[in-house]
Amino acid sequence: MKFLNQDEGEVIRWMITYYCTCNHKGTELCNECNDLLNYAVKRNMNCPHGVNKPVCSSCEIHCYKDAYRLKIRDVMKFSGPKIIFRKPLYGIKYLIKKKFRSGKIKKPSR
C-alpha cells in the first residue's frame, strides 16, 4: 500500500489497527476494519491536493462516502486522543500540520 505521504499511511494504519484491536478484540484486523483501511489508502492515493494534502478536517473536499466517513470518524475519535501517548511523534506531526494548514482548503482549480 503506497501513500502520497508515508507518515500519513503509517498513522491511519496505526489508528485503524488500534481501534480494531481495542473494540473488536482480535489480534488482526477484522474484515470491516481491513476494508476501511483499504478504502482510506485508495482515497489518499487519489487526493487532488497531492503531496500538499491538508489534514482532512481542514479540507473542503469530502473524499469519503458517507458510510466510510462515519466509520473513519469513529476510528479517529477513539484513536486520535491516544496517539499522542502511544505514538507521540505521529501526534506532534499531526498537530504541527494542522496548525500550519488551518482554515478551510478549497478544491484545487483544474
Side-chain angles (χ1 to χ4, degrees):
M1 292 182 206
K2 184 180 178 198
F3 270 75
L4 293 173
N5 180 328
Q6 191 61 35
D7 285 346
E8 284 188 26
E10 292 172 17
V11 170
I12 195 65
R13 186 173 288 111
W14 181 86
M15 290 178 96
I16 292 172
T17 302
Y18 183 74
Y19 174 86
C20 188
T21 56
C22 290
N23 290 287
H24 302 150
K25 309 297 183 198
T27 56
E28 294 182 18
L29 283 180
C30 68
N31 290 337
E32 181 182 352
C33 290
N34 191 50
D35 179 50
L36 179 60
L37 177 59
N38 290 331
Y39 185 79
V41 168
K42 186 174 101 178
R43 299 312 312 156
N44 184 284
M45 288 174 45
N46 294 318
C47 180
H49 294 294
V51 294
N52 297 320
K53 181 183 177 315
V55 294
C56 293
S57 61
S58 298
C59 189
E60 195 174 86
I61 302 170
H62 296 293
C63 295
Y64 286 61
K65 291 179 182 175
D66 290 340
Y68 286 105
R69 190 177 314 148
L70 293 173
K71 289 179 191 177
I72 201 70
R73 187 178 298 150
D74 287 343
V75 167
M76 290 185 177
K77 277 184 179 180
F78 181 83
S79 301
K82 294 159 182 81
I83 201 168
I84 199 73
F85 300 107
R86 301 196 180 264
K87 295 286 187 178
L89 190 57
Y90 292 162
I92 291 168
K93 284 181 179 180
Y94 171 81
L95 292 173
I96 290 170
K97 186 175 181 180
K98 187 171 184 174
K99 172 74 175 167
F100 288 105
R101 294 202 182 161
S102 61
K104 291 292 180 188
I105 306 296
K106 303 223 185 267
K107 293 181 183 180
S109 57
R110 296 183 182 217

